Amino acid sequence: QVQLQQSGAELAKPGTSVKLSCKASGYTFTSYYIYWVKQRPGQGLEWIGYIYPGNGGTYYSEKFKGKATFTADTSSSTAYMLLGSLTPEDSAYYFCARQGLPGSWLFAYWGQGTLVTVSS
Amino acid sequence: DIQMTQSPSFLSASLGNSITITCHASQNIKGWLAWYQQKSGNAPELLIYKASSLQSGVPSRFSGSGSGTDYILTISNLQPEDIATYYCQHYQSFPLTFGGGTKLELK
């Protein structure tokens, strides 16, 4: 079955970076888009963008351009998101998710989320 | 960007009752609308796609309807496990956006 296993919680200082991981299993990693979503505690969902591991293509929502960078390692079926120049406003849960059927822009499978806390 | 407006933000209902949540898009999204359920401490789960198609494994007491800019999620015969926050999401174009969420509580 499709599974997305995310890395553990991060505590980071302002101005630094964190790299989150999302290890996929149960399907062909290169055939489906991986999305990233931000959720501040008690708040709604924000789409950050996607990476297509098949060719490394990426899309970033305007708000997250320059903040997030997506990469993927096809040898380990793992997607990564680098968050840079951290501020307290970046403190949130970050979810990876996989699209549904190819061509559908649905969040059909989700990782468990990674909590990032930015504090001095 | 397409804005998604959900109402109500909070909803209190009794077990066995039916509830409806509405989602309004700022432009015609042609039925490219999904609903998600998020239980406390968990990741969201896909319930409904293409406005009215039930995701595999989702109970039939969940249903969706709508077209154009206005969509509805209905939960019939409310069960304790339905207590959660519900989000709509359009996928008509980029960027993908979510509604603000509706928190469902037991009365």
Side-chain angles (χ1 to χ4, degrees):
Chain A
Q1 70 281 23
V2 176
Q3 289 190 326
L4 300 171
Q5 182 65 39
Q6 296 188 240
S7 48
E10 299 271 4
L11 174 60
K13 295 188 183 306
T16 65
S17 301
V18 291
K19 190 172 186 178
L20 312 184
S21 67
C22 172
K23 183 171 177 57
S25 61
Y27 72 97
T28 303
F29 182 62
T30 51
S31 297
Y32 294 86
Y33 289 74
I34 292 284
Y35 308 122
W36 291 90
V37 175
K38 176 182 180 180
Q39 186 174 40
R40 302 201 72 182
Q43 303 298 310
L45 302 166
E46 285 186 275
W47 182 54
I48 301 171
Y50 72 66
I51 184 166
Y52 184 64
N55 60 13
T58 58
Y59 175 96
Y60 300 93
S61 185
E62 194 65 32
K63 178 180 177 181
F64 294 95
K65 288 180 180 177
K67 170 62 65 178
T69 304
F70 306 140
T71 55
D73 178 356
T74 57
S75 67
S76 63
S77 298
T78 303
Y80 298 92
M81 177 172 66
L82 177 69
L83 293 170
S85 303
L86 291 170
T87 73
E89 287 65 46
D90 297 317
S91 296
Y93 286 95
Y94 291 88
F95 295 97
C96 64
R98 201 206 82 174
Q99 72 171 142
L101 294 174
S104 74
W105 301 106
L106 295 167
F107 301 77
Y109 304 92
W110 294 72
Q112 82 275 22
T114 297
L115 177 62
V116 174
T117 303
V118 181
S119 174
S120 55
Chain B
D1 298 3
I2 298 175
Q3 308 302 317
M4 306 299 293
T5 304
Q6 271 183 251
S7 61
S9 298
F10 297 92
L11 185 55
S12 181
S14 301
L15 294 178
N17 283 6
S18 294
I19 66 101
T20 60
I21 298 169
T22 64
C23 183
H24 175 78
S26 60
Q27 58 186 266
N28 186 355
I29 57 172
K30 303 174 183 177
W32 300 111
L33 190 282
W35 291 97
Y36 299 84
Q37 176 193 67
Q38 186 177 31
K39 296 181 181 179
S40 181
N42 290 347
E45 294 184 7
L46 177 63
L47 295 176
I48 286 170
Y49 61 95
K50 200 59 172 78
S52 61
S53 296
L54 209 61
Q55 176 71 345
S56 176
V58 174
S60 58
R61 62 179 181 274
F62 290 88
S63 63
S65 63
S67 62
T69 61
D70 295 296
Y71 299 86
I72 294 172
L73 171 69
T74 300
I75 310 175
S76 303
N77 187 21
L78 193 66
Q79 298 297 301
E81 59 267 30
D82 300 335
I83 299 310
T85 300
Y86 293 84
Y87 295 94
C88 61
Q89 174 235 330
H90 87 83
Y91 50 112
Q92 157 68 11
S93 60
F94 289 166
L96 309 176
T97 54
F98 294 88
T102 297
K103 186 172 184 179
L104 177 59
E105 300 176 335
L106 274 180
K107 186 179 292 184

